[in-house]
Amino acid sequence: MHVLHVTSELHPFSKTGGLADMVGALAKALAHSGTQISVLTPLYRVARQRATDLRSLNWRFEIRIGARNYEGAFWEQRGLAGERILFVQQDELYDRPGIYEENKQPYPDNDLRFVFLSRAAALLARHLNPAPSVVHCHDWQTGLVPLLIHHEREAGVWPFAPRTVLTIHNLAYLGYFPASTWALTGLPLDYFHPEACEFWAGVSLLKTGLVFADALTTVSPHYAVEITTPEYGCGLEGILMRRRSDLRGILNGVDYSEWNTISNPYLSAGYDASNFSGKAACKAVVQGEYGLPQRADVPLFGTVGRLDPQKGVDFMVGALEQVLQEDIQFVQLGTGVAWLENACRALAHRHPGKVGVRIGFDPALAHRIEAGLDFFLMPSRFEPCGLNQLYSLRYGTPPIVRDTGGLHDSVVDPRDDPGGATGIKFQDPSSSALAHAMRKALAVWAEPELLAHFRRNGMAADFSWNRFTTQYVELYGSLLGRG
Ligand code: GLC
């Protein structure tokens, strides 16, 4: 079985969020488990800098979009587990400083950029040797691919066309564009109606994929149920409800060869569940990097991630305002919307010596923070899977999470299982509910044996990919009529 993944970001070549980590790690794990894997992704400027061993496939092609022909070319590099990483080059569209945006402004031609990626993917799938039997797409940027393949299969021009899977990493990004975008797809207008690709008089590339992919997945079982409801369905709950027998939630795994506390080039000291002294050293390092007093006796809270209302950052700042009355410290790393960046800066300004803020993107610092914190905050309004709570569990840092999506599925609250507790869950997306949860964490902090119990449980929890890859392999097999 040969599976071609198509993704708009891929660790370690390009990353703005969890999508890159997830596809990079899944492709590697599937390749390890013996599935033949190729991954197609754009040759962004940053990818070209990071790809160390690019080889040309000597494969140039042209795609007619609107009134123009766009030339492209394919390049390749081998991944760590033997997976084939294929890059599509189109310098006008991808050789830019950003992946989706510059100076917080999305590129105005993002519809063209990702329609081009999708059309290049369909072309690659049709002519690649060996041919893929499944094409696995991720998020709105590749949502057109299932329809492109479906269309050619139905037209009889591609009789052995592959089966398609679409994974929803975040339903809130609809890939929504004006109706005029339809002309870029090269497809007939027959598909442009509300039962197919039209959404509120425009085009939703995500909806297109939800309608036409042979199978749908999302990144946790709980989110798979949530998105069939109006509260979480972003207006697509109707189609998801209709397709619920084709939709399954498979939790994301972690690549523990990168995310571990024993041999990790980013950490100044290693540690495991039998001895936390290295973790104490990591805490002092983080306090030092943020210019906070290097005290072992003060609980250090923190978070890493996009500053976005999805992540609950607005009410997190409110909760911190309350709990910072106590003797605690807080550090943050991430970029995002301007008003939340400003809210974080203002918080640091009001609490000198207690709060450290770093508006930026720094993978090495992210590892150090996961290791150095005492508690990791993840108060998301919704969270398809969430990876940082999985990283923090492995780093012995109990997460404090809102009880939603993948956070529901991966964190154990003491009220549900005192013996197996790994973190603290709360329900309401409000400052008071999060502040209450943080005070519970302070009660845990006050009892070192209890804290060690949380840490040990979290570090022992297994979210390695080999637990989850079999579910994808079974899904692919079922699409091919085997299993
Ligand atoms: C998106 C989701 C996140 C998920 C990640 C990888 O970033 O918001 O919850 O973990 O994709 O699937």
Side-chain angles (χ1 to χ4, degrees), residues 18-19 22 169-170 219 252 306 310-311 383-387:
L19 169 66
M22 186 281 192
H169 295 261
N170 192 334
V219 287
N252 285 338
R306 267 184 304 122
Q310 176 202 334
K311 301 287 179 186
E383 194 59 74
C385 174
L387 292 171

Side-chain angles (χ1 to χ4, degrees), residues 33 43 68 114 117 184 197 212 305 309-310:
S33 77
L43 190 63
R68 268 197 57 187
F114 295 108
L117 171 64
L184 307 179
C197 311
F212 289 100
Q310 176 202 334

Side-chain angles (χ1 to χ4, degrees), residues 418-464:
T422 59
I424 292 169
K425 285 172 161 166
F426 65 97
Q427 301 296 328
D428 287 348
S430 68
S431 298
S432 54
L434 173 56
H436 186 67
M438 290 178 70
R439 290 188 199 283
K440 284 189 184 173
L442 291 178
V444 173
W445 169 260
E447 287 184 55
E449 248 322 295
L450 184 59
L451 177 62
H453 171 74
F454 273 69
R455 286 177 169 169
R456 280 194 293 266
N457 283 344
M459 294 182 86
D462 178 12
F463 295 100
S464 57

